């Protein structure tokens, strides 16, 4: 592309751009934010409790290797422990649900 073509393209770009007042800029930004509300999540895949425990264990190990402050490591431990409790709770619930269904079917 020659210099003339580059300058012509830049001039076209400038001609298309308009100068906006403060109020017009605000209205444009608000309209764009409202459009963002309609966007669906990029990753609708649900993360299991087991996957969360593994990820948090890895994060905790990394944080300890980086010598993070104790309260930050405690936060990761707390999140990991909660994910583990959810994982165990689901397994117990599944077990009892299966047991109830087995008993019900064999009565």
């Amino acid at each position: 592309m020659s210099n003339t073509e580059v300058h012509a393209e830049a001039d076209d770009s400038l001609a298309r751009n308009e100068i906006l007042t403060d109020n017009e800029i605000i209205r444009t930004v608000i309209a764009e934010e409202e459009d963002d509300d309609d966007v669906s999540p990029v990753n609708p895949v649900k993360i299991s409790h087991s996957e969360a425990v593994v990820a948090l264990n890895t994060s905790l190990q990394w944080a300890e290797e980086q010598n993070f402050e104790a309260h930050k490591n405690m936060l990761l431990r707390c999140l990991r422990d909660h994910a583990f409790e959810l994982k165990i709770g689901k397994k117990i619930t599944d077990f009892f649900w299966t047991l109830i269904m087995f008993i019900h079917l064999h009565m």
Side-chain angles (χ1 to χ4, degrees), residues 96-107:
F96 281 111
W97 180 250
T98 303
L99 181 63
I100 289 168
M101 291 304 293
F102 178 80
I103 292 170
H104 179 72
L105 291 173
H106 290 85
M107 290 186 100

Side-chain angles (χ1 to χ4, degrees), residues 66-77:
Q66 303 304 313
N67 296 318
F68 275 31
E69 297 171 10
H71 70 276
K72 293 179 180 179
N73 291 342
M74 289 300 297
L75 175 61
L76 286 171
R77 279 190 190 94

Side-chain angles (χ1 to χ4, degrees), residues 49 80-92:
H49 302 312
R80 181 205 53 199
D81 293 348
H82 186 66
F84 184 75
E85 289 168 5
L86 290 171
K87 173 184 165 184
I88 296 301
K90 182 175 180 342
K91 286 185 177 184
I92 291 171

Side-chain angles (χ1 to χ4, degrees), residues 22-76:
D22 290 344
N23 287 334
E24 291 171 326
I25 293 170
I26 291 170
R27 279 194 298 273
T28 302
V29 170
I30 290 172
E32 288 174 359
E33 286 176 353
E34 289 173 355
D35 289 343
D36 290 346
D37 293 342
D38 299 335
V39 177
S40 60
V42 175
N43 188 7
V45 176
K46 195 153 168 94
I47 298 171
S48 71
H49 302 312
S50 297
E51 291 171 317
V53 170
V54 170
L56 289 164
N57 272 330
T58 303
S59 299
L60 180 58
Q61 181 181 354
W62 174 80
E64 288 171 344
E65 289 171 359
Q66 303 304 313
N67 296 318
F68 275 31
E69 297 171 10
H71 70 276
K72 293 179 180 179
N73 291 342
M74 289 300 297
L75 175 61
L76 286 171

